[in-house]
Amino acid sequence: MSIWEYANPAKFMRTTEEALPWLVGSAAICCVGGVVWGFLTPEDFRQGSTVKIVFLHVPAAMMAINIWVMMLVASLIWIIRRHHVSALAARAAAPIGAVMTLIALATGAIWGQPMWGTWWEWDPRLTSFLILFLFYIGYIALWASVEDPDSAADLTGVLCLVGSVFALLSRYAVLFWNQGLHQGASLSVAPGERMSAVYRHPLYLSMLGFFLLTLALILIRTRTEIRKRRLAALQAREMRA
């Protein structure tokens, strides 16, 4: 079985209809379990109870970046192979990515105020994250402003390529610049622990929950976009008749 079979809208709709109930249930269990478990952890000796924001902030920030990467891949598939499902999936993912970016910015400000003494600092990672949010808004606006869906998919695909620079900067800014208040990565594949296991394990569960939730929302919104495209095609056919 080839992965390109799922570029067929009918095949995509049948498969996702079967998978969505399991996906939504798993996402709910992991999200609630991870966040509740995280908020029941003890206070940090240095950051106190504010450290518990990590169970919302880190998963949201992770998904904000990864959703843009997913949009980039979907846009490239559209540009190269002209599969409509990939273009619609990229469009469906953008509002979800914008919300995740906004959650990351808001929780970061709440976390940063008692730690840094300010709600906002023009730190490299914070600034690149804000620009990524603006790219999300611009992407959504560009889709809405172009009437022809194929032209809109082409233009937003180019925008996605440009915005990917800031998605990478959001992820690796603390490695590119030494200055800035933002701490290094909380989790890393490099040797040595950066976070105590008492926080790390519920964070892993919360991250898994956010990933499953994001995947479920993207599939639901993609299914909606496919239905809207079908409806528009039927209406256009009736007008020509």
Side-chain angles (χ1 to χ4, degrees), residues 33-220:
V35 172
V36 171
W37 183 9
F39 276 84
L40 292 177
T41 55
E43 294 185 1
D44 181 67
F45 76 98
R46 185 175 300 165
Q47 301 186 49
S49 60
T50 59
V51 72
K52 299 180 183 182
I53 300 176
V54 72
F55 303 108
L56 291 175
H57 177 73
V58 170
M62 177 188 73
M63 294 318 305
I65 298 170
N66 290 341
I67 288 172
W68 192 274
V69 174
M70 171 262 163
M71 290 164 54
L72 172 63
V73 173
S75 297
L76 290 174
I77 292 173
W78 161 255
I79 292 171
I80 296 170
R81 300 189 67 117
R82 312 305 282 185
H83 287 314
H84 286 97
V85 171
S86 62
L88 296 177
R91 180 180 187 178
I96 303 168
V99 171
M100 290 293 179
T101 310
L102 189 59
I103 292 173
L105 288 169
T107 53
I110 296 170
W111 194 0
Q113 204 284 328
M115 294 298 101
W116 301 342
T118 179
W119 294 98
W120 180 263
E121 180 71 25
W122 293 102
D123 177 275
R125 177 171 282 190
L126 271 64
T127 304
S128 58
F129 229 85
L130 176 61
I131 296 173
L132 178 62
F133 176 70
L134 296 177
F135 264 97
Y136 270 119
I137 299 302
Y139 183 95
I140 296 168
L142 185 56
W143 258 109
S145 63
V146 180
E147 292 186 6
D148 180 63
D150 289 357
S151 299
D154 290 335
L155 292 172
T156 52
V158 174
L159 180 63
C160 213
L161 286 169
V162 177
S164 299
V165 174
F166 291 95
L168 288 173
L169 286 177
S170 300
R171 173 63 181 85
Y172 298 108
V174 291
L175 302 179
F176 297 153
W177 295 283
N178 291 325
Q179 70 270 25
L181 294 175
H182 198 288
Q183 68 186 53
S186 299
L187 301 173
S188 175
V189 295
E193 289 189 2
R194 299 181 180 220
M195 177 182 287
S196 171
V198 72
Y199 300 116
R200 189 170 64 251
H201 295 154
L203 179 57
Y204 284 149
L205 184 59
S206 183
M207 290 167 66
L208 176 61
F210 268 67
F211 170 76
L212 295 174
L213 175 63
T214 298
L215 182 58
L217 291 174
I218 290 174
L219 291 179
I220 291 170

